[in-house]
Amino acid sequence: MDGLDEEITEAEDVAAERDELVSAVYEHAGTIARELALLKGGDYGQETFSTSNGDWTVKYEAGNLDYLRYSGKKGDIYVVSTKQPPAPDDLALAMEDYGAFVRAFNDHVASFEGILDEVDTDFPEVASTASVVEERNRLVRTIRETADAISAQLHRFNGTDYGAWKTTVSGKRWELKWEGDRASYLRVGGEGGVYLVSQYEPPSAPDVKRHAEGFRGFIEAFNEYVDELNANLSHVEL
């Protein structure tokens, strides 16, 4: 049959040459990707560079080249990608413009030369927070001491080593959890609220200021709670 005797030309050599060229471009353009990551201050991103014949887009992830795309008259050609290599003729077309792409990248980098030379580094003196922190810590210590005193009372008349006492002050939920004679935490606002007393870091100065008046109301609510208990117990006859 006609054609069955025809010898088929192997594409192995062409494919190998293509793969070798793509590998060289990957290494070379990978340097561009790493320089872009340094320039832009991040490990992920992309940048497009224009030449007279088209646009080159460099996309990088974790500082490494993800793909290099050439967009010219024939459309998009992925010179380097994570999927499949380009067709040899597409690669040849794109490579005709590769040098212009590299020059465009170099011009891009050069455009930043000296851009920071006139930046004034004589910055204003930074204000100290020492006095604010000292006052915050003083108030937190006072709140802690009072919360511990309330915890001791709760421990005494509840007869349990662990527990929590809750109340509402000006529409905000307050909760004191005690362990023995010591407050485990004092929280305002329920789950996700502000911990005025905790086993971890202290609250911020603005939070202390915001809730200081409410803490007075918390103490008053506790005192009313104790007075009510005393009044109820005074009517018990044995």
Side-chain angles (χ1 to χ4, degrees):
M1 185 178 292
D2 185 36
L4 290 179
D5 295 331
E6 292 290 336
E7 184 177 350
I8 297 175
T9 303
E10 294 184 358
E12 183 177 351
D13 291 343
V14 176
E17 186 178 1
R18 183 269 318 277
D19 292 344
E20 184 179 353
L21 179 56
V22 168
S23 178
V25 173
Y26 177 79
E27 183 177 350
H28 189 267
T31 302
I32 292 177
R34 287 189 290 276
E35 294 298 329
L36 270 177
L38 287 172
L39 185 63
K40 299 186 75 171
D43 288 337
Y44 299 85
Q46 68 178 46
E47 191 77 34
T48 298
F49 303 91
S50 297
T51 70
S52 59
N53 293 320
D55 296 325
W56 290 80
T57 300
V58 181
K59 186 175 184 295
Y60 52 93
E61 293 187 0
N64 295 317
L65 180 65
D66 184 48
Y67 67 70
L68 175 64
R69 183 181 65 218
Y70 172 62
S71 302
K73 295 178 180 179
K74 193 177 177 180
D76 290 344
I77 298 172
Y78 283 83
V79 178
V80 173
S81 79
T82 57
K83 297 180 179 179
Q84 63 186 41
D89 57 337
D90 286 342
L91 179 59
L93 178 63
M95 292 308 296
E96 290 178 2
D97 198 52
Y98 187 78
F101 154 62
V102 176
R103 288 190 292 274
F105 168 75
N106 290 340
D107 290 343
H108 177 71
V109 175
S111 69
F112 291 96
E113 292 293 337
I115 196 172
L116 301 177
D117 290 350
E118 302 302 322
V119 175
D120 184 9
T121 56
D122 186 17
F123 303 127
E125 184 178 351
V126 177
S128 173
T129 62
S131 60
V132 175
V133 171
E134 183 179 355
E135 181 62 12
R136 186 273 311 274
N137 291 345
R138 184 189 69 80
L139 290 171
V140 170
R141 280 196 301 271
T142 301
I143 293 172
R144 156 64 77 179
E145 291 169 358
T146 305
D148 284 346
I150 293 175
S151 296
Q153 297 300 323
L154 290 167
H155 179 208
R156 180 181 303 170
F157 62 70
N158 278 281
T160 57
D161 291 335
Y162 304 92
W165 187 76
K166 306 171 185 178
T167 189
T168 300
V169 179
S170 300
K172 291 187 179 296
R173 183 181 180 88
W174 288 68
E175 180 178 358
L176 173 66
K177 183 178 180 181
W178 80 84
E179 296 182 9
D181 289 346
R182 185 173 174 81
S184 177
Y185 68 72
L186 175 62
R187 185 177 63 201
V188 188
E191 293 291 336
V194 174
Y195 286 81
L196 292 180
V197 172
S198 78
Q199 299 174 350
Y200 305 103
E201 71 275 359
S204 68
D207 282 340
V208 173
K209 179 181 179 180
R210 186 179 305 114
H211 297 296
E213 191 63 32
F215 185 60
R216 293 179 182 273
F218 174 79
I219 298 171
E220 292 171 357
F222 175 75
N223 290 340
E224 291 174 4
Y225 169 70
V226 173
D227 289 343
E228 184 178 342
L229 281 178
N230 288 331
N232 291 337
L233 287 174
S234 67
H235 294 87
V236 175
E237 294 183 0
L238 296 177

mmCIF file with all atom_site columns, all heavy atoms in Angstrom, residues 5 31 84 101 147:
data_model
loop_
_atom_site.group_PDB
_atom_site.id
_atom_site.type_symbol
_atom_site.label_atom_id
_atom_site.label_alt_id
_atom_site.label_comp_id
_atom_site.label_asym_id
_atom_site.label_entity_id
_atom_site.label_seq_id
_atom_site.pdbx_PDB_ins_code
_atom_site.Cartn_x
_atom_site.Cartn_y
_atom_site.Cartn_z
_atom_site.occupancy
_atom_site.B_iso_or_equiv
_atom_site.pdbx_formal_charge
_atom_site.auth_seq_id
_atom_site.auth_comp_id
_atom_site.auth_asym_id
_atom_site.auth_atom_id
_atom_site.pdbx_PDB_model_num
ATOM 1  N N   . ASP A 1 5   ? 5.647   2.096  2.906  1.00 0.00 ? 5   ASP A N   1
ATOM 2  C CA  . ASP A 1 5   ? 7.076   1.860  2.734  1.00 0.00 ? 5   ASP A CA  1
ATOM 3  C C   . ASP A 1 5   ? 7.913   3.102  2.992  1.00 0.00 ? 5   ASP A C   1
ATOM 4  O O   . ASP A 1 5   ? 9.145   3.037  2.981  1.00 0.00 ? 5   ASP A O   1
ATOM 5  C CB  . ASP A 1 5   ? 7.356   1.358  1.301  1.00 0.00 ? 5   ASP A CB  1
ATOM 6  C CG  . ASP A 1 5   ? 6.716   -0.004 1.047  1.00 0.00 ? 5   ASP A CG  1
ATOM 7  O OD1 . ASP A 1 5   ? 6.574   -0.760 2.025  1.00 0.00 ? 5   ASP A OD1 1
ATOM 8  O OD2 . ASP A 1 5   ? 6.370   -0.287 -0.115 1.00 0.00 ? 5   ASP A OD2 1
ATOM 9  N N   . THR A 1 31  ? 16.976  33.427 36.923 1.00 0.00 ? 31  THR A N   1
ATOM 10 C CA  . THR A 1 31  ? 17.745  34.497 37.573 1.00 0.00 ? 31  THR A CA  1
ATOM 11 C C   . THR A 1 31  ? 16.950  35.792 37.567 1.00 0.00 ? 31  THR A C   1
ATOM 12 O O   . THR A 1 31  ? 16.926  36.534 38.559 1.00 0.00 ? 31  THR A O   1
ATOM 13 C CB  . THR A 1 31  ? 19.087  34.701 36.843 1.00 0.00 ? 31  THR A CB  1
ATOM 14 O OG1 . THR A 1 31  ? 19.816  33.471 36.837 1.00 0.00 ? 31  THR A OG1 1
ATOM 15 C CG2 . THR A 1 31  ? 19.914  35.780 37.527 1.00 0.00 ? 31  THR A CG2 1
ATOM 16 N N   . GLN A 1 84  ? 3.691   21.824 29.771 1.00 0.00 ? 84  GLN A N   1
ATOM 17 C CA  . GLN A 1 84  ? 4.351   21.163 28.643 1.00 0.00 ? 84  GLN A CA  1
ATOM 18 C C   . GLN A 1 84  ? 5.235   22.167 27.919 1.00 0.00 ? 84  GLN A C   1
ATOM 19 O O   . GLN A 1 84  ? 4.979   23.375 27.975 1.00 0.00 ? 84  GLN A O   1
ATOM 20 C CB  . GLN A 1 84  ? 3.318   20.594 27.680 1.00 0.00 ? 84  GLN A CB  1
ATOM 21 C CG  . GLN A 1 84  ? 2.426   21.654 27.037 1.00 0.00 ? 84  GLN A CG  1
ATOM 22 C CD  . GLN A 1 84  ? 1.314   21.036 26.194 1.00 0.00 ? 84  GLN A CD  1
ATOM 23 O OE1 . GLN A 1 84  ? 0.712   20.045 26.601 1.00 0.00 ? 84  GLN A OE1 1
ATOM 24 N NE2 . GLN A 1 84  ? 1.061   21.614 25.044 1.00 0.00 ? 84  GLN A NE2 1
ATOM 25 N N   . PHE A 1 101 ? 13.628  41.227 25.445 1.00 0.00 ? 101 PHE A N   1
ATOM 26 C CA  . PHE A 1 101 ? 13.005  41.053 26.763 1.00 0.00 ? 101 PHE A CA  1
ATOM 27 C C   . PHE A 1 101 ? 14.025  41.264 27.884 1.00 0.00 ? 101 PHE A C   1
ATOM 28 O O   . PHE A 1 101 ? 13.756  41.970 28.868 1.00 0.00 ? 101 PHE A O   1
ATOM 29 C CB  . PHE A 1 101 ? 12.384  39.661 26.851 1.00 0.00 ? 101 PHE A CB  1
ATOM 30 C CG  . PHE A 1 101 ? 12.267  39.119 28.247 1.00 0.00 ? 101 PHE A CG  1
ATOM 31 C CD1 . PHE A 1 101 ? 11.494  39.764 29.204 1.00 0.00 ? 101 PHE A CD1 1
ATOM 32 C CD2 . PHE A 1 101 ? 12.951  37.962 28.619 1.00 0.00 ? 101 PHE A CD2 1
ATOM 33 C CE1 . PHE A 1 101 ? 11.398  39.248 30.505 1.00 0.00 ? 101 PHE A CE1 1
ATOM 34 C CE2 . PHE A 1 101 ? 12.868  37.455 29.895 1.00 0.00 ? 101 PHE A CE2 1
ATOM 35 C CZ  . PHE A 1 101 ? 12.088  38.105 30.847 1.00 0.00 ? 101 PHE A CZ  1
ATOM 36 N N   . ALA A 1 147 ? -9.244  41.295 92.107 1.00 0.00 ? 147 ALA A N   1
ATOM 37 C CA  . ALA A 1 147 ? -9.812  40.065 91.566 1.00 0.00 ? 147 ALA A CA  1
ATOM 38 C C   . ALA A 1 147 ? -9.427  38.866 92.423 1.00 0.00 ? 147 ALA A C   1
ATOM 39 O O   . ALA A 1 147 ? -10.238 37.951 92.635 1.00 0.00 ? 147 ALA A O   1
ATOM 40 C CB  . ALA A 1 147 ? -9.340  39.870 90.128 1.00 0.00 ? 147 ALA A CB  1
#
